[in-house]
Amino acid sequence: MTQDAMIDEWYPVGLVSRLDGNGRKTALMGEPIEVASDTDGSARVTSKGRVLPVRVRYGHVWASLGQPQKELFAIPEADQPGRRFVDVGVVRVRCSPLRAVENFLDIAHFPFVHTDILGSEPHTEVQNYKVEIREDADEVWATQVKFYQPQAARSASGGITTEYMYRVPAPTCSVLYKTCPPRPGEWDVITLFVQPLAEDLCDVWPWMALFDDESSMTDLIHFQQTIFLQDRSILENQIPRLLPLDPGMEIPTRADLTSVAYRRWLKRRGYTYGAQLVAQ
Amino acid sequence: MTGQKQDQLHERMTIRGAVDSASFVPWIRRHAAKLGLRQEIRHAGPGRIELDVAGPVELIDMLEMGCSLGPIDVWVETITRTPAAGGTGG
């Protein structure tokens, strides 16, 4: 299924820093596309000779196969002085693009998958938090998420209780705001931009906007890549590979509030590319 | 059943939305059975399904979570839960 509401959304298709005149062949929702820099240096994305709508933002080139009805979502922190912007690179994952986002939203897996980094036993309890679909912004938000983490960020030297906010501003994108150890009162921003190559295959482009004057760029990238590579092995073994919108085969719990809100939002908006509609 | 034992609740669950699908009632029964919950459908009509459900609160929470998503052809707007008197027939 390709002709659903997701056709008109924006998707990341490459790093701005890697643009070149030769172009890079990739895919978007099953369609072959080419991402290149034009003669004037601007980004150009084509599909079978057709020039696609393009945006350049948050270190990435964004494109759409359809006709976007709204502008690419805003991340105000991307314009905030003092932050370091980190292009983490790309991780290819053989799973539904929606599964990749859902996994990012799942805080309960931290102690088990990211042991001694983002979580540790016996600190497995997810405290109550608030989830809502903000109709005005048309986004899913989870707030007041608190979790003990042995090393919440590259810059953290010991365990702290980290507070999070999760935001889903587009069907294959999520923005995570988390406690910023060196700067109380500010939030570190870690995003997950997912390029749907096919319904069961995606390129994940994490990007970060951090307050961290100490860590090297290599260390920041390595820390985040470690996290996503740990996730990949889980994601590639999930059954079914597509994200079920009917929870018939799964039993969601209180800890899955954000995931359920995300699935409800996808269902309501008709975002079904990469989704399994009927439990099998 | 007397209702509020220490770890057992007996609740009336009211599900509102576009729920007048013939598929939803059997779906709810299946989901409750998977969770080991006793349930009895009290009302099923356009826009509203009511059921009495009995079991541990955590499992009733899980039934509510599952129902809030439901099968693809229904849209659940709200779910409310209130203490219920009397037993389920299930």
Side-chain angles (χ1 to χ4, degrees), chain B residues 4-5 8 12 17 21 23-26 31 38 43 47 50 55 58-61 69 73 75 81 84:
Chain B
Q4 323 302 327
K5 285 186 204 167
Q8 297 274 313
R12 171 71 52 91
S21 162
S23 65
F24 200 18
V25 167
H31 209 70
R38 286 180 292 148
H43 174 87
E50 280 186 10
E58 293 82 4
L59 297 181
I60 299 178
D61 286 348
L69 201 46
D73 55 349
W75 174 252
R81 286 160 56 181

Side-chain angles (χ1 to χ4, degrees), chain B residues 3-87:
Chain B
Q4 323 302 327
K5 285 186 204 167
Q6 196 166 20
D7 57 348
Q8 297 274 313
L9 287 183
H10 180 201
E11 292 192 332
R12 171 71 52 91
M13 190 176 284
T14 304
I15 304 171
R16 289 189 170 85
V19 297
D20 56 331
S21 162
S23 65
F24 200 18
V25 167
W27 189 99
I28 292 169
R29 289 201 167 109
R30 278 199 306 274
H31 209 70
K34 277 183 207 165
L35 292 165
L37 292 168
R38 286 180 292 148
Q39 54 72 31
E40 186 173 358
I41 303 294
R42 294 290 188 178
H43 174 87
R48 180 169 60 92
I49 292 173
E50 280 186 10
L51 63 146
D52 285 352
V53 58
V57 63
E58 293 82 4
L59 297 181
I60 299 178
D61 286 348
M62 290 161 76
L63 179 65
E64 179 187 348
M65 296 287 290
C67 287
S68 73
L69 201 46
I72 197 68
D73 55 349
V74 310
W75 174 252
V76 172
E77 205 66 58
T78 62
I79 297 179
T80 54
R81 286 160 56 181
T82 54

